[in-house]
Structures are given as structure tokens and as C-alpha cells.
Amino acid sequence: MLELSDIEEWRSFASDQRAKGLVVGFVPTMGALHAGHASLFRAAKEHSDVVVASLFVNPRQFDRRDDLEKYPRTPERDLALALECGVDCVVSPSLTDMWPDYPAPTPTTVSVGELGERFEGAGRPGHFDGVASVVAKLFTITGPCRSFFGEKDFQQLAVIRQIVRDLAFAVEVVGCPIVRDDDGLALSSRNVTLSLAGRRRALGLSHALTAAAKVARPASIQRAVMHEVLENEGVEVAYAEVVDPLTLLPSSDAESGPRRALVAGFVDGVRLLDNGPVSIVGS
Ligand code: PAF
């Protein structure tokens, strides 16, 4: 497995692969890799010829300094997992290569407007500007590719599809299913920061989604069901919504059909999120 940190070497590596007629699969990550990332690497391996993974903790997508400092960093384990999953090239760019003015703000920002201001964007101002800006830069360096993202960050996936559409990146975005522990907890790099009791309470998120998926009722009833489960299980609710899976606009009680339920909340001060398919029946 090739390990690179230089942006120009990374750009040339990807372009050399395309020159050989190979499809580049690209998996952007912030490290602290787990089985969810492994599933992205395996999907990339299956659906492209050569897999590039990036490891970069992007400070621009953190709205709180303490959250950035607490974010787990496990570089040696990350390289071992990437190797085990057959990744061909791991790129770990430096902070100053990615954001030359850091810690001063970077003047150029990619922003998706309203889509990035709801849900995670409302709770973490500037978060999606940070995600959209870094992903735009990662795509610019990697060049034409097929890029793999987890559905666990459902709004992030919508934001990335939007920048690809609006800025005409030659990138095919592939959404991959959420990977869960046996008890249903969606895998997240943040789970390691939970206490044992907190981890049990965190199951409230997947339980809320399961409860909503069981009832085909108007959207407001499904919202209420999710709130009740989250609160009963000790999750401090950030939001519990039923949305259109493409626009992420909240569903009204007049609507019927397949939708996406999004939940987020705090456990042990850690922000957790999850989502799943639901079906609503208009009243
Ligand atoms: O999902 C992540 O790990 C990050 O948000 C991403 C897409 C790598 C951008 O920093």
C-alpha cells in the first residue's frame, strides 16, 4: 500500500491510474477508522479498480475547539485497517497543505445554502460549509473518480451530491448502507468516547427509528413516537424528523409514502446521529 502526504504526488498517482484506463475509487475519511469505513473500502474495492483513501481531520467542520481536540486519532490502526481492506493508496495531507492560512479562516468557502443549515447544520453552525469545502478540495486533487460515503451521515451525503451537481465534479457519489453493532448501534468514530452506561442509552437512537418504522402513520405521529423513545431512553434530543430522502425537507401530515427518519441527540455530552427508512400515511 502506497502512503502519501504530498498533494501533488496524490494528484499524479490518481491521474496515472486513469491514464492506464483504471477507475479510481476514493474514500474520504477523518481517520479513527472502524468497520463502517471498512465497508466503504470494500465497496470501493468491488466497484472500482484502484482505491485511494484520505485520512484528514478537517478542523473547518468542527464548530467547537474541544470537540476537535477530543476527536479520536488512531493513525497506526487506520493504516493497518486500510491495508487489510486492500486500499491501494492512503493519503494523509498536512493541515497547511489543505488549509494554507490555518488557523486564520480560509477565504474560499463552498456552501450549499439552506440544505446545510437544517438539522446538523442548525446544531453545528458552519459544519457543512467545512464539509463541502474540504470535500470539494479532496475531489479537486483526486480528479475524476467514484467516491464512497456512508448513509449514516445522511445529510452529509445529500450535501456532497449537491456540490457534485452544482460544481460539475466528475465524481460518481455512491452511498453505502449504515453498519451497526449487533445491538443496533450505528458505528461512529465517536462511540469510543461513550461510557458503558452512555453506550446503553445511545441505543435510544436506533430504538426510536425501529419504533417509527413499525408504524405507518402521519409524519407528526412518527416524530412524536421517536421523541418519546429517545427521551425515555435518556437521550437529550437534538432533533427527530421525517424528511423527503432527496430534498431533506420535513414531511407534512398530508403526505404519504417512503421517507427518511433522521434522529440526533446527546449522550454523555457526545453528539450522535442515526437515520433509517420509514413509511408515512397522510391524515
Ligand atoms: O464523514 C467524514 O468522515 C467527513 O465528514 C469527511 C467526508 C471525510 C469530510 O471531512
Side-chain angles (χ1 to χ4, degrees):
M1 185 175 73
L2 184 64
E3 290 173 36
L4 299 176
S5 57
D6 182 82
I7 284 186
E8 291 316 320
E9 288 179 14
W10 160 14
R11 201 195 300 270
S12 312
F13 175 79
S15 119
D16 290 349
Q17 307 311 306
R18 284 187 297 273
K20 288 186 223 160
L22 302 178
V23 173
V24 174
F26 178 46
V27 185
T29 81
M30 295 208 298
L33 303 181
H34 49 66
H37 297 104
S39 78
L40 299 181
F41 296 152
R42 293 201 176 102
K45 201 80 200 150
E46 193 181 332
H47 299 288
S48 41
D49 300 315
V50 57
V51 179
V52 177
S54 63
L55 306 177
F56 178 65
V57 181
N58 172 33
R60 288 186 70 184
Q61 68 189 77
F62 288 80
D63 61 317
R64 291 188 355 244
R65 200 185 168 78
D66 63 317
D67 196 25
L68 172 62
E69 278 161 10
K70 272 199 313 217
Y71 197 81
R73 287 164 175 86
T74 55
E76 269 118 55
R77 278 187 40 215
D78 294 347
L79 290 177
L81 185 79
L83 180 66
E84 191 189 313
C85 295
V87 171
D88 299 286
C89 173
V90 168
V91 292
S92 311
S94 71
L95 189 50
T96 45
D97 273 349
M98 288 303 286
W99 304 128
D101 301 315
Y102 192 81
T106 307
T108 306
T109 295
V110 178
S111 180
V112 295
E114 223 257 307
L115 174 63
E117 283 157 16
R118 279 177 263 141
F119 308 122
E120 285 309 289
R124 304 166 71 187
H127 170 66
F128 284 117
D129 286 1
V131 171
S133 301
V134 81
V135 171
K137 183 152 181 173
L138 298 172
F139 284 168
T140 302
I141 301 164
T142 306
C145 62
R146 199 165 277 159
S147 192
F148 298 79
F149 294 87
E151 285 185 342
K152 151 94 179 4
D153 295 303
F154 202 78
Q155 189 178 6
Q156 168 171 284
L157 187 55
V159 164
I160 290 163
R161 289 193 198 282
Q162 188 78 43
I163 63 165
V164 166
R165 194 197 76 156
D166 294 351
L167 301 179
F169 284 108
V171 174
E172 184 190 333
V173 175
V174 183
C176 300
I178 300 175
V179 180
R180 298 178 180 279
D181 268 334
D182 290 345
D183 57 8
L185 185 68
L187 296 191
S188 160
S189 303
R190 292 172 188 268
N191 290 355
V192 294
T193 58
L194 293 170
S195 66
L196 210 61
R199 203 193 167 291
R200 269 196 300 275
R201 280 190 285 135
L203 288 175
L205 280 95
S206 58
H207 292 166
L209 294 170
T210 311
K214 276 191 193 146
V215 289
R217 303 287 299 278
S220 63
I221 308 265
Q222 298 218 337
R223 256 177 238 128
V225 166
M226 292 191 286
H227 268 274
E228 193 182 338
V229 175
L230 289 164
E231 279 154 22
N232 285 348
E233 299 205 21
V235 179
E236 190 192 320
V237 186
Y239 56 83
E241 242 330 325
V242 176
V243 300
D244 180 288
L246 295 177
T247 62
L248 264 58
L249 286 170
S251 303
S252 76
D253 276 357
E255 294 171 39
S256 294
R259 294 291 184 275
R260 200 81 185 178
L262 309 177
V263 290
F266 292 90
V267 173
D268 288 342
V270 182
R271 190 180 179 100
L272 299 171
L273 51 154
D274 201 349
N275 66 83
V278 290
S279 185
I280 54 173
V281 175
S283 55

PDB file of all heavy atoms in Angstrom, residues 103-125:
ATOM      1  N   PRO A 103      -4.303  28.841  11.445  1.00  0.00           N
ATOM      2  CA  PRO A 103      -5.677  28.873  11.966  1.00  0.00           C
ATOM      3  C   PRO A 103      -6.502  30.073  11.509  1.00  0.00           C
ATOM      4  O   PRO A 103      -7.667  30.190  11.938  1.00  0.00           O
ATOM      5  CB  PRO A 103      -5.478  28.905  13.492  1.00  0.00           C
ATOM      6  CG  PRO A 103      -4.176  29.586  13.688  1.00  0.00           C
ATOM      7  CD  PRO A 103      -3.324  29.247  12.479  1.00  0.00           C
ATOM      8  N   ALA A 104      -5.968  30.915  10.663  1.00  0.00           N
ATOM      9  CA  ALA A 104      -6.815  32.009  10.143  1.00  0.00           C
ATOM     10  C   ALA A 104      -7.845  31.393   9.203  1.00  0.00           C
ATOM     11  O   ALA A 104      -7.588  30.354   8.586  1.00  0.00           O
ATOM     12  CB  ALA A 104      -5.940  33.008   9.389  1.00  0.00           C
ATOM     13  N   PRO A 105      -9.023  32.017   9.093  1.00  0.00           N
ATOM     14  CA  PRO A 105     -10.056  31.445   8.225  1.00  0.00           C
ATOM     15  C   PRO A 105      -9.610  31.400   6.760  1.00  0.00           C
ATOM     16  O   PRO A 105      -8.849  32.265   6.313  1.00  0.00           O
ATOM     17  CB  PRO A 105     -11.245  32.406   8.384  1.00  0.00           C
ATOM     18  CG  PRO A 105     -10.871  33.372   9.430  1.00  0.00           C
ATOM     19  CD  PRO A 105      -9.423  33.244   9.737  1.00  0.00           C
ATOM     20  N   THR A 106     -10.064  30.379   6.049  1.00  0.00           N
ATOM     21  CA  THR A 106      -9.734  30.254   4.618  1.00  0.00           C
ATOM     22  C   THR A 106     -10.750  31.084   3.843  1.00  0.00           C
ATOM     23  O   THR A 106     -11.955  30.900   4.027  1.00  0.00           O
ATOM     24  CB  THR A 106      -9.844  28.775   4.200  1.00  0.00           C
ATOM     25  OG1 THR A 106      -9.052  28.023   5.110  1.00  0.00           O
ATOM     26  CG2 THR A 106      -9.373  28.553   2.783  1.00  0.00           C
ATOM     27  N   PRO A 107     -10.281  32.002   2.994  1.00  0.00           N
ATOM     28  CA  PRO A 107     -11.244  32.876   2.315  1.00  0.00           C
ATOM     29  C   PRO A 107     -12.246  32.125   1.429  1.00  0.00           C
ATOM     30  O   PRO A 107     -13.410  32.465   1.388  1.00  0.00           O
ATOM     31  CB  PRO A 107     -10.367  33.804   1.465  1.00  0.00           C
ATOM     32  CG  PRO A 107      -8.995  33.683   2.030  1.00  0.00           C
ATOM     33  CD  PRO A 107      -8.888  32.339   2.668  1.00  0.00           C
ATOM     34  N   THR A 108     -11.790  31.075   0.726  1.00  0.00           N
ATOM     35  CA  THR A 108     -12.699  30.389  -0.203  1.00  0.00           C
ATOM     36  C   THR A 108     -13.518  29.341   0.546  1.00  0.00           C
ATOM     37  O   THR A 108     -12.960  28.462   1.207  1.00  0.00           O
ATOM     38  CB  THR A 108     -11.895  29.708  -1.324  1.00  0.00           C
ATOM     39  OG1 THR A 108     -11.069  30.687  -1.929  1.00  0.00           O
ATOM     40  CG2 THR A 108     -12.808  29.082  -2.362  1.00  0.00           C
ATOM     41  N   THR A 109     -14.832  29.452   0.423  1.00  0.00           N
ATOM     42  CA  THR A 109     -15.723  28.512   1.108  1.00  0.00           C
ATOM     43  C   THR A 109     -16.750  27.990   0.124  1.00  0.00           C
ATOM     44  O   THR A 109     -17.284  28.755  -0.673  1.00  0.00           O
ATOM     45  CB  THR A 109     -16.455  29.237   2.270  1.00  0.00           C
ATOM     46  OG1 THR A 109     -15.479  29.611   3.232  1.00  0.00           O
ATOM     47  CG2 THR A 109     -17.482  28.352   2.945  1.00  0.00           C
ATOM     48  N   VAL A 110     -17.018  26.678   0.201  1.00  0.00           N
ATOM     49  CA  VAL A 110     -18.109  26.103  -0.586  1.00  0.00           C
ATOM     50  C   VAL A 110     -19.294  25.953   0.365  1.00  0.00           C
ATOM     51  O   VAL A 110     -19.157  25.378   1.444  1.00  0.00           O
ATOM     52  CB  VAL A 110     -17.707  24.731  -1.171  1.00  0.00           C
ATOM     53  CG1 VAL A 110     -18.864  24.124  -1.952  1.00  0.00           C
ATOM     54  CG2 VAL A 110     -16.471  24.876  -2.051  1.00  0.00           C
ATOM     55  N   SER A 111     -20.431  26.496  -0.042  1.00  0.00           N
ATOM     56  CA  SER A 111     -21.593  26.475   0.834  1.00  0.00           C
ATOM     57  C   SER A 111     -22.808  26.018   0.039  1.00  0.00           C
ATOM     58  O   SER A 111     -22.999  26.461  -1.099  1.00  0.00           O
ATOM     59  CB  SER A 111     -21.816  27.893   1.370  1.00  0.00           C
ATOM     60  OG  SER A 111     -22.928  27.893   2.219  1.00  0.00           O
ATOM     61  N   VAL A 112     -23.611  25.126   0.614  1.00  0.00           N
ATOM     62  CA  VAL A 112     -24.775  24.627  -0.133  1.00  0.00           C
ATOM     63  C   VAL A 112     -26.066  25.312   0.315  1.00  0.00           C
ATOM     64  O   VAL A 112     -27.157  24.854   0.004  1.00  0.00           O
ATOM     65  CB  VAL A 112     -24.929  23.091  -0.020  1.00  0.00           C
ATOM     66  CG1 VAL A 112     -23.774  22.380  -0.678  1.00  0.00           C
ATOM     67  CG2 VAL A 112     -25.081  22.681   1.428  1.00  0.00           C
ATOM     68  N   GLY A 113     -25.936  26.411   1.046  1.00  0.00           N
ATOM     69  CA  GLY A 113     -27.122  27.174   1.446  1.00  0.00           C
ATOM     70  C   GLY A 113     -28.002  26.407   2.407  1.00  0.00           C
ATOM     71  O   GLY A 113     -27.522  25.681   3.271  1.00  0.00           O
ATOM     72  N   GLU A 114     -29.318  26.516   2.176  1.00  0.00           N
ATOM     73  CA  GLU A 114     -30.329  26.023   3.121  1.00  0.00           C
ATOM     74  C   GLU A 114     -30.176  24.543   3.492  1.00  0.00           C
ATOM     75  O   GLU A 114     -30.348  24.173   4.641  1.00  0.00           O
ATOM     76  CB  GLU A 114     -31.688  26.253   2.453  1.00  0.00           C
ATOM     77  CG  GLU A 114     -32.749  26.792   3.364  1.00  0.00           C
ATOM     78  CD  GLU A 114     -33.687  25.690   3.739  1.00  0.00           C
ATOM     79  OE1 GLU A 114     -34.199  25.030   2.822  1.00  0.00           O
ATOM     80  OE2 GLU A 114     -33.878  25.462   4.953  1.00  0.00           O
ATOM     81  N   LEU A 115     -29.811  23.719   2.514  1.00  0.00           N
ATOM     82  CA  LEU A 115     -29.648  22.279   2.785  1.00  0.00           C
ATOM     83  C   LEU A 115     -28.636  22.034   3.906  1.00  0.00           C
ATOM     84  O   LEU A 115     -28.749  21.091   4.676  1.00  0.00           O
ATOM     85  CB  LEU A 115     -29.195  21.560   1.499  1.00  0.00           C
ATOM     86  CG  LEU A 115     -28.833  20.081   1.616  1.00  0.00           C
ATOM     87  CD1 LEU A 115     -30.045  19.246   2.041  1.00  0.00           C
ATOM     88  CD2 LEU A 115     -28.267  19.562   0.301  1.00  0.00           C
ATOM     89  N   GLY A 116     -27.649  22.926   4.000  1.00  0.00           N
ATOM     90  CA  GLY A 116     -26.625  22.757   5.024  1.00  0.00           C
ATOM     91  C   GLY A 116     -26.944  23.493   6.318  1.00  0.00           C
ATOM     92  O   GLY A 116     -26.145  23.468   7.256  1.00  0.00           O
ATOM     93  N   GLU A 117     -28.107  24.144   6.358  1.00  0.00           N
ATOM     94  CA  GLU A 117     -28.417  24.923   7.569  1.00  0.00           C
ATOM     95  C   GLU A 117     -29.413  24.220   8.478  1.00  0.00           C
ATOM     96  O   GLU A 117     -29.633  24.641   9.607  1.00  0.00           O
ATOM     97  CB  GLU A 117     -28.949  26.313   7.167  1.00  0.00           C
ATOM     98  CG  GLU A 117     -27.802  27.221   6.737  1.00  0.00           C
ATOM     99  CD  GLU A 117     -28.257  28.357   5.839  1.00  0.00           C
ATOM    100  OE1 GLU A 117     -29.478  28.619   5.784  1.00  0.00           O
ATOM    101  OE2 GLU A 117     -27.385  28.946   5.164  1.00  0.00           O
ATOM    102  N   ARG A 118     -30.063  23.160   7.940  1.00  0.00           N
ATOM    103  CA  ARG A 118     -31.029  22.425   8.765  1.00  0.00           C
ATOM    104  C   ARG A 118     -30.332  21.335   9.578  1.00  0.00           C
ATOM    105  O   ARG A 118     -29.169  21.030   9.338  1.00  0.00           O
ATOM    106  CB  ARG A 118     -32.063  21.759   7.855  1.00  0.00           C
ATOM    107  CG  ARG A 118     -33.135  22.721   7.418  1.00  0.00           C
ATOM    108  CD  ARG A 118     -34.082  22.043   6.458  1.00  0.00           C
ATOM    109  NE  ARG A 118     -33.699  22.345   5.093  1.00  0.00           N
ATOM    110  CZ  ARG A 118     -33.740  21.476   4.098  1.00  0.00           C
ATOM    111  NH1 ARG A 118     -34.103  20.224   4.324  1.00  0.00           N
ATOM    112  NH2 ARG A 118     -33.403  21.822   2.884  1.00  0.00           N
ATOM    113  N   PHE A 119     -31.031  20.739  10.517  1.00  0.00           N
ATOM    114  CA  PHE A 119     -30.584  19.559  11.269  1.00  0.00           C
ATOM    115  C   PHE A 119     -29.151  19.695  11.805  1.00  0.00           C
ATOM    116  O   PHE A 119     -28.904  20.517  12.663  1.00  0.00           O
ATOM    117  CB  PHE A 119     -30.755  18.287  10.402  1.00  0.00           C
ATOM    118  CG  PHE A 119     -32.157  18.181   9.859  1.00  0.00           C
ATOM    119  CD1 PHE A 119     -32.406  18.121   8.497  1.00  0.00           C
ATOM    120  CD2 PHE A 119     -33.243  18.203  10.719  1.00  0.00           C
ATOM    121  CE1 PHE A 119     -33.693  18.054   8.001  1.00  0.00           C
ATOM    122  CE2 PHE A 119     -34.541  18.144  10.231  1.00  0.00           C
ATOM    123  CZ  PHE A 119     -34.743  18.065   8.866  1.00  0.00           C
ATOM    124  N   GLU A 120     -28.194  18.932  11.272  1.00  0.00           N
ATOM    125  CA  GLU A 120     -26.820  19.021  11.790  1.00  0.00           C
ATOM    126  C   GLU A 120     -26.276  20.438  11.634  1.00  0.00           C
ATOM    127  O   GLU A 120     -25.517  20.928  12.464  1.00  0.00           O
ATOM    128  CB  GLU A 120     -25.904  18.049  11.047  1.00  0.00           C
ATOM    129  CG  GLU A 120     -26.082  16.610  11.448  1.00  0.00           C
ATOM    130  CD  GLU A 120     -26.023  16.439  12.941  1.00  0.00           C
ATOM    131  OE1 GLU A 120     -24.949  16.571  13.526  1.00  0.00           O
ATOM    132  OE2 GLU A 120     -27.084  16.172  13.545  1.00  0.00           O
ATOM    133  N   GLY A 121     -26.674  21.102  10.546  1.00  0.00           N
ATOM    134  CA  GLY A 121     -26.189  22.465  10.280  1.00  0.00           C
ATOM    135  C   GLY A 121     -26.721  23.461  11.293  1.00  0.00           C
ATOM    136  O   GLY A 121     -26.034  24.433  11.632  1.00  0.00           O
ATOM    137  N   ALA A 122     -27.955  23.228  11.785  1.00  0.00           N
ATOM    138  CA  ALA A 122     -28.542  24.146  12.777  1.00  0.00           C
ATOM    139  C   ALA A 122     -27.839  23.981  14.126  1.00  0.00           C
ATOM    140  O   ALA A 122     -27.578  24.953  14.832  1.00  0.00           O
ATOM    141  CB  ALA A 122     -30.035  23.879  12.911  1.00  0.00           C
ATOM    142  N   GLY A 123     -27.520  22.730  14.456  1.00  0.00           N
ATOM    143  CA  GLY A 123     -26.876  22.459  15.748  1.00  0.00           C
ATOM    144  C   GLY A 123     -25.383  22.769  15.729  1.00  0.00           C
ATOM    145  O   GLY A 123     -24.773  22.942  16.788  1.00  0.00           O
ATOM    146  N   ARG A 124     -24.792  22.765  14.541  1.00  0.00           N
ATOM    147  CA  ARG A 124     -23.335  22.969  14.440  1.00  0.00           C
ATOM    148  C   ARG A 124     -23.082  23.995  13.342  1.00  0.00           C
ATOM    149  O   ARG A 124     -22.728  23.634  12.216  1.00  0.00           O
ATOM    150  CB  ARG A 124     -22.653  21.637  14.077  1.00  0.00           C
ATOM    151  CG  ARG A 124     -22.967  20.528  15.064  1.00  0.00           C
ATOM    152  CD  ARG A 124     -22.570  19.170  14.515  1.00  0.00           C
ATOM    153  NE  ARG A 124     -21.137  19.005  14.466  1.00  0.00           N
ATOM    154  CZ  ARG A 124     -20.522  17.960  13.899  1.00  0.00           C
ATOM    155  NH1 ARG A 124     -21.214  17.005  13.335  1.00  0.00           N
ATOM    156  NH2 ARG A 124     -19.216  17.883  13.898  1.00  0.00           N
ATOM    157  N   PRO A 125     -23.264  25.289  13.663  1.00  0.00           N
ATOM    158  CA  PRO A 125     -23.157  26.319  12.615  1.00  0.00           C
ATOM    159  C   PRO A 125     -21.825  26.232  11.862  1.00  0.00           C
ATOM    160  O   PRO A 125     -20.769  26.087  12.459  1.00  0.00           O
ATOM    161  CB  PRO A 125     -23.265  27.636  13.391  1.00  0.00           C
ATOM    162  CG  PRO A 125     -23.904  27.269  14.691  1.00  0.00           C
ATOM    163  CD  PRO A 125     -23.523  25.846  14.992  1.00  0.00           C
TER     164      PRO A 125
END
